[in-house]
Amino acid sequence: MTLIKSISGIRGTIGGAPEDGLSPLAIVKFVSAYAVFIRKHTKSTTNKIVVGRDARISGPMVKQVVLGTLTGMGFDVVDIDLATTPTTEFAVIQEKACGGIILTASHNPKQWNALKLLNERGEFLNAAEGAEVLRLAEAEDFSYADVDSLGKIIPDNTYKQKHIESVLNLDLVDIKAIAGANFRVAIDCVNSVGGIVLPDLLYALGVKEIFKLHCAPHGNFSHNPEPLPEHLTEISALMKQAKADVGFVVDPDVDRLAIICENGAMFGEEYTLVAVSDYVLSKTPGNTVSNLSSSRALRDVTHSYGCEYNAAAVGEVNVVTKMKETNAVIGGEGNGGVIYPASHYGRDALVGIALFLTHLAKKKMTVSELRATYPPYFISKQKVELTPDIDVDAILAKVKAQFAQYDITDIDGVKIDFPDKWVHLRKSNTEPIIRIYSEAHTMKEAEEIGGQLIQIIKDMCS
């Protein structure tokens, strides 16, 4: 059993001893600490906290513990129950709430669950805020409300439709163009909340025919829930069988979007953001942001519009911070996470789908033809395992010095930008491992440059 405490929240497996997983006792402790943090820092006067969950088997149990703890701390809880991560973020904003908690372990398997913590803007806590919650939890520095000050639970099942309507009302979403294209769309919602929102969204956008895979939200995931090519063979086959024009795959909490071409080939998660940004920039030129490990293709597309691209440290909260600093019109992460500020500052697959379908309808291309219009890049992901006594920071400093003649970024590990490729080295926070991401115009080149860095690191350690 595993419990992982981090600045972005707490996640763990269900079952086992109190400190070995995401037990009810652990949930109470961390939710209590979060409530103290919110009470101290919020500027909202509503006394509300929004709680939403994905369709995991453990979701109802975890939710009941969270609701009881928050009301015990004196907060009123808006319980939106089964909801996507972006829907919960949207609800926090609409309710003018003090914060929100999303009960989801994202792409992790069914035995996992997690508490993802939001501020009053419906955004994830930053590193300093997350660290304060962890400190409060460790110290058990909280006290509960007296009987006359207990909070109440406010059930609200309207936010799925409100979120869909907000997407439909975005200026760059063209429902008429989408309806006119007569798209045949396949979806794989991996038995979670995507299954209850994506069909409604697609029909509202004017899609005439939908082919559904794993849309029953029972949480017993039919395949590994991370939307990677090796897990998406069913929808790839369905695309050809159903003669669908495009396929969409989401993870259990619907903040990541993978796209499938009409021929069953992967569009590429890295290119979800690239394609959506291409469309947004064509209508509203401006700056873009992605993280350091995302494809250079976004930079290339941004520059083609005469606009500025910036890279942020890995992590949604870091991307959002950089987007605000640079007034970016679009941004996100290369894992299929689209962040569109005209909607809200959070990764949102619903927004991604609506903008992508508009783009596809206006381009009058097949999905594979559209994919071919973007710069071809390939990303390799490797790692080098070190012994616990190795000073990883010292190794990264040596690598930085050795490649000082190139463009180096060190806000999150060490990224080396070569003229035609890049390598990004990041240390694990939990293991003596350096993860090595590399990108080039062919997979062979990407793997080779990553392999060269692995050898350099090994030589340094010998």
Side-chain angles (χ1 to χ4, degrees), residues 70-84:
L70 288 173
T71 55
M73 292 295 294
F75 280 97
D76 296 332
V77 184
V78 181
D79 173 19
I80 65 173
D81 200 40
L82 288 172
T84 74

PDB file of all heavy atoms in Angstrom, residues 70-84:
ATOM      1  N   LEU A  70     -15.185  18.360   6.290  1.00  0.00           N
ATOM      2  CA  LEU A  70     -15.349  19.785   5.969  1.00  0.00           C
ATOM      3  C   LEU A  70     -16.494  20.406   6.764  1.00  0.00           C
ATOM      4  O   LEU A  70     -16.366  21.525   7.277  1.00  0.00           O
ATOM      5  CB  LEU A  70     -15.589  19.969   4.477  1.00  0.00           C
ATOM      6  CG  LEU A  70     -14.376  19.730   3.567  1.00  0.00           C
ATOM      7  CD1 LEU A  70     -14.785  19.780   2.102  1.00  0.00           C
ATOM      8  CD2 LEU A  70     -13.267  20.750   3.839  1.00  0.00           C
ATOM      9  N   THR A  71     -17.611  19.695   6.878  1.00  0.00           N
ATOM     10  CA  THR A  71     -18.705  20.252   7.688  1.00  0.00           C
ATOM     11  C   THR A  71     -18.314  20.290   9.154  1.00  0.00           C
ATOM     12  O   THR A  71     -18.694  21.208   9.885  1.00  0.00           O
ATOM     13  CB  THR A  71     -20.004  19.436   7.495  1.00  0.00           C
ATOM     14  OG1 THR A  71     -19.751  18.054   7.773  1.00  0.00           O
ATOM     15  CG2 THR A  71     -20.529  19.575   6.078  1.00  0.00           C
ATOM     16  N   GLY A  72     -17.514  19.306   9.593  1.00  0.00           N
ATOM     17  CA  GLY A  72     -17.002  19.314  10.963  1.00  0.00           C
ATOM     18  C   GLY A  72     -16.065  20.475  11.230  1.00  0.00           C
ATOM     19  O   GLY A  72     -15.934  20.927  12.371  1.00  0.00           O
ATOM     20  N   MET A  73     -15.428  20.976  10.164  1.00  0.00           N
ATOM     21  CA  MET A  73     -14.568  22.148  10.292  1.00  0.00           C
ATOM     22  C   MET A  73     -15.349  23.451  10.121  1.00  0.00           C
ATOM     23  O   MET A  73     -14.771  24.536  10.141  1.00  0.00           O
ATOM     24  CB  MET A  73     -13.451  22.087   9.249  1.00  0.00           C
ATOM     25  CG  MET A  73     -12.428  20.982   9.477  1.00  0.00           C
ATOM     26  SD  MET A  73     -11.443  21.190  10.985  1.00  0.00           S
ATOM     27  CE  MET A  73     -10.496  22.668  10.629  1.00  0.00           C
ATOM     28  N   GLY A  74     -16.656  23.335   9.918  1.00  0.00           N
ATOM     29  CA  GLY A  74     -17.497  24.532   9.850  1.00  0.00           C
ATOM     30  C   GLY A  74     -17.750  25.071   8.463  1.00  0.00           C
ATOM     31  O   GLY A  74     -18.313  26.171   8.318  1.00  0.00           O
ATOM     32  N   PHE A  75     -17.381  24.338   7.419  1.00  0.00           N
ATOM     33  CA  PHE A  75     -17.612  24.797   6.046  1.00  0.00           C
ATOM     34  C   PHE A  75     -18.895  24.207   5.477  1.00  0.00           C
ATOM     35  O   PHE A  75     -19.259  23.059   5.766  1.00  0.00           O
ATOM     36  CB  PHE A  75     -16.449  24.397   5.137  1.00  0.00           C
ATOM     37  CG  PHE A  75     -15.255  25.294   5.247  1.00  0.00           C
ATOM     38  CD1 PHE A  75     -14.184  24.957   6.060  1.00  0.00           C
ATOM     39  CD2 PHE A  75     -15.206  26.498   4.543  1.00  0.00           C
ATOM     40  CE1 PHE A  75     -13.079  25.787   6.163  1.00  0.00           C
ATOM     41  CE2 PHE A  75     -14.107  27.334   4.641  1.00  0.00           C
ATOM     42  CZ  PHE A  75     -13.037  26.987   5.457  1.00  0.00           C
ATOM     43  N   ASP A  76     -19.568  24.992   4.651  1.00  0.00           N
ATOM     44  CA  ASP A  76     -20.667  24.476   3.851  1.00  0.00           C
ATOM     45  C   ASP A  76     -20.061  23.842   2.599  1.00  0.00           C
ATOM     46  O   ASP A  76     -19.150  24.421   1.980  1.00  0.00           O
ATOM     47  CB  ASP A  76     -21.617  25.591   3.431  1.00  0.00           C
ATOM     48  CG  ASP A  76     -22.309  26.230   4.626  1.00  0.00           C
ATOM     49  OD1 ASP A  76     -22.481  25.537   5.646  1.00  0.00           O
ATOM     50  OD2 ASP A  76     -22.667  27.426   4.539  1.00  0.00           O
ATOM     51  N   VAL A  77     -20.549  22.675   2.215  1.00  0.00           N
ATOM     52  CA  VAL A  77     -19.963  21.940   1.098  1.00  0.00           C
ATOM     53  C   VAL A  77     -20.946  21.848  -0.056  1.00  0.00           C
ATOM     54  O   VAL A  77     -22.068  21.337   0.114  1.00  0.00           O
ATOM     55  CB  VAL A  77     -19.538  20.519   1.517  1.00  0.00           C
ATOM     56  CG1 VAL A  77     -18.837  19.817   0.360  1.00  0.00           C
ATOM     57  CG2 VAL A  77     -18.629  20.571   2.739  1.00  0.00           C
ATOM     58  N   VAL A  78     -20.549  22.354  -1.208  1.00  0.00           N
ATOM     59  CA  VAL A  78     -21.330  22.185  -2.433  1.00  0.00           C
ATOM     60  C   VAL A  78     -20.896  20.853  -3.043  1.00  0.00           C
ATOM     61  O   VAL A  78     -19.793  20.729  -3.578  1.00  0.00           O
ATOM     62  CB  VAL A  78     -21.103  23.343  -3.410  1.00  0.00           C
ATOM     63  CG1 VAL A  78     -21.958  23.149  -4.673  1.00  0.00           C
ATOM     64  CG2 VAL A  78     -21.421  24.679  -2.758  1.00  0.00           C
ATOM     65  N   ASP A  79     -21.736  19.856  -2.929  1.00  0.00           N
ATOM     66  CA  ASP A  79     -21.416  18.499  -3.372  1.00  0.00           C
ATOM     67  C   ASP A  79     -21.920  18.318  -4.804  1.00  0.00           C
ATOM     68  O   ASP A  79     -23.115  18.125  -5.032  1.00  0.00           O
ATOM     69  CB  ASP A  79     -22.072  17.492  -2.425  1.00  0.00           C
ATOM     70  CG  ASP A  79     -21.944  16.051  -2.908  1.00  0.00           C
ATOM     71  OD1 ASP A  79     -21.057  15.793  -3.762  1.00  0.00           O
ATOM     72  OD2 ASP A  79     -22.723  15.206  -2.434  1.00  0.00           O
ATOM     73  N   ILE A  80     -20.993  18.395  -5.788  1.00  0.00           N
ATOM     74  CA  ILE A  80     -21.403  18.217  -7.183  1.00  0.00           C
ATOM     75  C   ILE A  80     -21.198  16.770  -7.631  1.00  0.00           C
ATOM     76  O   ILE A  80     -21.456  16.428  -8.781  1.00  0.00           O
ATOM     77  CB  ILE A  80     -20.693  19.208  -8.119  1.00  0.00           C
ATOM     78  CG1 ILE A  80     -19.189  18.974  -8.184  1.00  0.00           C
ATOM     79  CG2 ILE A  80     -20.988  20.650  -7.690  1.00  0.00           C
ATOM     80  CD1 ILE A  80     -18.485  19.823  -9.241  1.00  0.00           C
ATOM     81  N   ASP A  81     -20.728  15.930  -6.739  1.00  0.00           N
ATOM     82  CA  ASP A  81     -20.613  14.485  -6.921  1.00  0.00           C
ATOM     83  C   ASP A  81     -19.827  14.153  -8.193  1.00  0.00           C
ATOM     84  O   ASP A  81     -18.731  14.658  -8.378  1.00  0.00           O
ATOM     85  CB  ASP A  81     -21.985  13.827  -6.893  1.00  0.00           C
ATOM     86  CG  ASP A  81     -21.899  12.331  -6.580  1.00  0.00           C
ATOM     87  OD1 ASP A  81     -21.093  11.945  -5.724  1.00  0.00           O
ATOM     88  OD2 ASP A  81     -22.635  11.539  -7.199  1.00  0.00           O
ATOM     89  N   LEU A  82     -20.364  13.288  -9.063  1.00  0.00           N
ATOM     90  CA  LEU A  82     -19.619  12.880 -10.259  1.00  0.00           C
ATOM     91  C   LEU A  82     -19.399  14.074 -11.175  1.00  0.00           C
ATOM     92  O   LEU A  82     -20.350  14.649 -11.708  1.00  0.00           O
ATOM     93  CB  LEU A  82     -20.382  11.781 -11.005  1.00  0.00           C
ATOM     94  CG  LEU A  82     -20.403  10.401 -10.347  1.00  0.00           C
ATOM     95  CD1 LEU A  82     -21.357   9.471 -11.089  1.00  0.00           C
ATOM     96  CD2 LEU A  82     -19.004   9.797 -10.307  1.00  0.00           C
ATOM     97  N   ALA A  83     -18.141  14.448 -11.342  1.00  0.00           N
ATOM     98  CA  ALA A  83     -17.815  15.645 -12.128  1.00  0.00           C
ATOM     99  C   ALA A  83     -16.374  15.572 -12.589  1.00  0.00           C
ATOM    100  O   ALA A  83     -15.521  14.995 -11.908  1.00  0.00           O
ATOM    101  CB  ALA A  83     -18.022  16.913 -11.282  1.00  0.00           C
ATOM    102  N   THR A  84     -16.102  16.148 -13.735  1.00  0.00           N
ATOM    103  CA  THR A  84     -14.727  16.212 -14.217  1.00  0.00           C
ATOM    104  C   THR A  84     -13.916  17.182 -13.370  1.00  0.00           C
ATOM    105  O   THR A  84     -14.483  18.053 -12.692  1.00  0.00           O
ATOM    106  CB  THR A  84     -14.673  16.659 -15.688  1.00  0.00           C
ATOM    107  OG1 THR A  84     -14.946  18.069 -15.769  1.00  0.00           O
ATOM    108  CG2 THR A  84     -15.667  15.904 -16.551  1.00  0.00           C
TER     109      THR A  84
END
